[in-house]
Amino acid sequence: MGWTTTHIPDQSGRTALVTGASAGIGFETARVLAAHGAHVVLACRDTERGSSAAERIDGSTEVVPLDLASLTSVRQAAGLVRGRHRRLDLLVNNAGVMFPSYRRTKDGFEAHLGVNHLGHFALTGLLLDLMTSVPGSRVVTVASLAHRVGFGRLDEAAARSSTGRRSMAAYGRSKLANLMFARELQRRLAVAGAATVSVAAHPGLSPTALWHGDPPALARPLAAAGMRWLAQPVEAAALPSLRAAVDPAVHGGAYLGPSERFGGRGAPEPARSSRAARSGAERGRLWTLSEELTGVRYVCEPAVLETPASAAETASAPAVAVCPVTGARA
């Protein structure tokens, strides 16, 4: 038998933030973490849905508004979390869009890359100093099998394109960026000697709301066939993220995914990635571009940001976060 939720150690005393936690894999990840004792912050675009999700979770939760399509919202969410918590044990970058109804984010970025990668890049940087001195802390970034079809260069032109809304290649590029970010973050954390590690995971295939967008006509029958043959329930699809978050045997830089049917389903095990995801030079270029586009610059210097006295002060304060090991300045 492979890894299941029965292998999850007690999470009491730990605080986890899960993006996109109102439904699907994010909800299941939050539910299981809370069931094992963690206090879970549900970071959701729709706070009503987030509150409804929290009511269905047996455990300690709270809801924070987060729209990854808006860097202003990302900064406000990070400020709220900083105002309420002095440490963070787990950050699960789970939320994402595929074939969304809009072409660009509120900041003018191509929708897939803006939400799936740039929003999470900024959020992680603005929260990272709550984690870097916490033993066993982890950043888990959810990628996808689709990272293999992320054709085209990850550059500013792609980031500001208005033609990717119904493009599998654009979605794939955003998931390739997720995986490259996770690995480059791990490299930087290791060099800095941080207690935090960065791990990536992919869920395989699961019939979640992510598939309810507006895919190209040619992709619809392929998706339907794939769902019938390869897909697994949401409860199983969340296992790679959960294992990446809590299994002490999983080390920084790992990439986990389902082990059967070409990675579509099965117990979570180490997964293979594309050659592009392993390119150190490309990861470095993407990192620099992401800092420029988001205005969030990861730094390493001996300084600490004082936690504001209230959430109201946090929301109005400049989005600046500097930590002793590695953090971000925006």
Side-chain angles (χ1 to χ4, degrees):
M1 178 182 292
W3 194 92
T4 70
T5 56
T6 62
H7 295 90
I8 297 178
D10 182 25
Q11 299 296 299
S12 298
R14 308 191 83 197
T15 298
L17 187 152
V18 182
T19 68
S22 63
I25 293 169
F27 171 78
E28 183 64 15
T29 301
R31 185 190 70 79
V32 173
L33 289 173
H36 285 80
H39 173 75
V40 183
V41 180
L42 283 68
C44 307
R45 181 177 58 83
D46 187 329
T47 53
E48 289 188 6
R49 291 183 64 194
S51 297
S52 176
E55 291 175 357
R56 303 195 308 273
I57 292 176
D58 183 13
S60 177
T61 62
E62 65 180 277
V63 178
V64 167
L66 170 66
D67 181 0
L68 289 163
S70 165
L71 290 176
T72 297
S73 176
V74 171
R75 289 175 169 85
Q76 290 173 342
L80 286 173
V81 173
R82 298 183 67 84
R84 297 175 184 177
H85 301 281
R86 293 188 176 275
R87 58 175 278 168
L88 191 61
D89 297 83
L90 296 173
L91 171 59
V92 183
N93 291 323
N94 163 82
V97 296
M98 184 168 66
F99 312 134
S101 59
Y102 52 92
R103 293 179 181 274
R104 289 179 173 170
T105 69
K106 295 174 183 177
D107 302 285
F109 303 130
E110 187 276 313
H112 293 102
L113 193 68
V115 172
N116 299 349
H117 168 62
L118 293 173
H120 280 127
F121 179 92
L123 180 69
T124 302
L126 293 169
L127 293 177
L128 198 58
D129 66 324
L130 299 181
M131 305 183 72
T132 50
S133 62
V134 179
S137 57
R138 297 188 181 193
V139 177
V140 177
T141 302
V142 180
S144 169
L145 286 168
H147 85 273
R148 293 181 176 276
V149 298
F151 303 119
R153 188 174 179 84
L154 284 161
D155 56 15
E156 185 166 1
R160 298 192 182 280
S161 172
S162 62
T163 61
R165 184 178 73 82
R166 300 182 69 192
S167 167
M168 179 57 78
Y171 174 71
R173 276 196 300 271
S174 73
K175 303 317 287 184
L176 174 61
N178 285 153
L179 188 49
M180 294 169 73
F181 163 66
R183 286 180 164 162
E184 181 63 15
L185 177 60
Q186 171 58 29
R187 187 189 71 80
R188 292 170 181 248
L189 289 168
V191 169
T196 308
V197 298
S198 171
V199 182
H202 78 82
L205 291 176
S206 184
T208 67
L210 191 66
W211 292 91
H212 295 170
D214 185 21
L218 290 176
R220 293 170 187 166
L222 293 175
M227 285 297 168
R228 286 194 299 270
W229 185 52
L230 298 174
Q232 59 184 352
V234 170
E235 293 80 4
L239 290 178
S241 296
L242 286 164
R243 185 174 186 183
V246 303
D247 186 352
V250 173
H251 301 292
Y255 178 43
L256 303 181
S259 54
E260 302 172 12
R261 296 192 184 182
F262 308 103
R265 62 184 301 158
E269 298 290 345
R272 294 180 60 84
S273 62
S274 67
R275 181 178 299 177
R278 299 192 296 271
S279 170
E282 290 301 318
R283 294 201 309 264
R285 279 191 282 270
L286 174 64
W287 192 279
T288 299
L289 175 67
S290 301
E291 288 186 329
E292 293 173 352
L293 294 178
T294 63
V296 176
R297 183 170 60 86
Y298 285 60
V299 296
C300 299
E301 58 185 50
V304 178
L305 175 68
E306 293 183 0
T307 303
S310 69
E313 291 179 17
T314 300
S316 61
V320 178
V322 183
C323 75
V325 182
T326 183
R329 177 176 290 159

